[in-house]
Amino acid sequence: MKKYLHVIGIGLQSNLAYRVNYLTRTLFSFIPLFAMLSLWRTIYAHPTGGASSSFSEAQMMFYYLLVAVVDVLTAVNEDDWQIAADIREGNISQFLLKPVDYLWYRLALFFSGRIAFIAVAALPLAVFIFCFRQYVMAPASLTALLVFPVSLVLTALLQFFISYAMAMLAFWLLEISTLIFILFAFEYLASGHLFPLDILPPVIRDVLFLTPFPYQMYFPISIYLGKSAGMEMWRGLAIQFLWVMAAYVFARWMWRRGIKKYSAFGG
């Protein structure tokens, strides 16, 4: 455990060297967020606005503010690209010779990146939320307040393990950027990042909940807002945990299969 804590420390120093890049990324991410908030305010201003959704106007506005918060806390930014580069350039050879588990090494770097990003993004995000403070809502219940951070941790792990498994394709393919972009685009739609899944037709929504994507964004937010409560919340949390375990097992399996194809070029 000490060696991975040391990796987190090194990762923090490395990531904080790019704090201006993090700040710029955060500020530019507010542009589409502001556009979505303006769009939904216009929709709800119409007499029939929001009629197909169980979200009130305040809930819809706050939903997107929570999307920004969850994104800062859990999103995988460049980890998959870096893992693919390590494989392609032969940098993983050292991990085959040392008592360091590559998955836990990358997970430690992922968390160090999140800590650094939060440190840089916290102030501008707080200012942005303050500008829309009339829409800020308290958790639906004490249970929601306690379970929400648990779901956030599972969300972060789920996103990381899926990205890690996707990056393992670099063992077989020279360039995986297209596949990463396709996965990101599908996650953006199916996770509830672009809009709450509640507004989709029930059949489509039910199909999406058979996949891990809603548990990467929509589910933790639905806990906070009280959209998932009681037994539905606990059942969803159990399913989210099972998806995390499945993604972890799949990531391990991809690594074992990939190592058999690894030729140790470069590095």
Side-chain angles (χ1 to χ4, degrees):
M1 180 59 70
K2 289 183 179 180
K3 56 189 172 186
Y4 298 115
L5 291 176
H6 184 63
V7 170
I8 291 177
I10 295 175
L12 278 172
Q13 297 176 33
S14 176
N15 281 287
L16 287 175
Y18 300 95
R19 54 187 177 274
V20 175
N21 179 45
Y22 286 158
L23 180 61
T24 304
R25 181 183 300 172
T26 302
L27 294 176
F28 274 95
S29 69
F30 291 153
I31 297 176
L33 176 58
F34 180 78
M36 293 304 298
L37 291 171
S38 300
L39 172 64
W40 281 103
R41 279 200 293 191
T42 302
I43 292 174
Y44 277 95
H46 192 274
T48 59
S52 61
S53 173
S54 63
F55 283 70
S56 65
E57 180 181 0
Q59 287 178 328
M60 187 64 78
M61 298 298 103
F62 189 52
Y63 178 89
Y64 284 99
L65 296 179
L66 281 177
V67 164
V69 172
V70 174
D71 203 41
V72 166
L73 294 175
T74 67
V76 174
N77 286 329
E78 298 178 354
D79 297 79
D80 40 11
W81 301 98
Q82 293 171 1
I83 294 169
D86 279 350
I87 296 172
R88 185 171 58 251
E89 298 169 8
N91 294 330
I92 64 168
S93 298
Q94 58 184 312
F95 296 98
L96 304 179
L97 304 174
K98 298 177 181 179
V100 177
D101 188 297
Y102 186 68
L103 186 147
W104 295 116
Y105 167 78
R106 291 305 319 187
L107 185 61
L109 289 180
F110 166 68
F111 280 119
S112 69
R114 287 299 87 204
I115 294 171
F117 193 80
I118 291 168
V120 175
L123 181 58
L125 180 60
V127 171
F128 187 87
I129 292 176
F130 180 78
C131 294
F132 291 88
R133 59 189 179 279
Q134 67 271 29
Y135 298 118
V136 174
M137 305 172 66
S141 64
L142 178 60
T143 302
L145 177 63
L146 297 176
V147 175
F148 177 66
V150 176
S151 183
L152 282 183
V153 173
L154 293 177
T155 293
L157 291 173
L158 181 57
Q159 294 204 45
F160 172 79
F161 290 141
I162 290 177
S163 295
Y164 182 93
M166 175 62 68
M168 292 296 102
L169 292 174
F171 281 117
W172 293 273
L173 304 173
L174 184 62
E175 183 56 60
I176 65 170
S177 59
T178 301
L179 297 175
I180 291 177
F181 276 122
I182 291 174
L183 177 64
F184 174 77
F186 192 78
E187 284 180 343
Y188 198 77
L189 292 172
S191 67
H193 197 291
L194 186 60
F195 50 77
L197 301 182
D198 177 78
I199 70 175
L200 293 172
V203 174
I204 298 178
R205 185 173 65 247
D206 292 343
V207 170
L208 285 179
F209 268 93
L210 296 176
T211 71
F213 302 114
Y215 300 95
Q216 292 178 263
M217 179 64 70
Y218 177 80
F219 179 69
I221 295 177
S222 69
I223 291 176
Y224 188 99
L225 294 176
K227 298 294 180 179
S228 295
M231 288 305 300
E232 181 183 356
M233 180 190 68
W234 295 113
R235 181 175 64 87
L237 197 66
I239 293 174
Q240 187 181 31
F241 176 76
L242 290 175
W243 274 119
V244 170
M245 296 306 298
Y248 170 77
V249 171
F250 182 61
R252 286 291 192 188
W253 181 80
M254 288 288 286
W255 168 265
R256 289 194 298 269
R257 293 294 300 271
I259 286 298
K260 294 178 182 179
K261 298 282 293 185
Y262 183 56
S263 300
F265 295 118

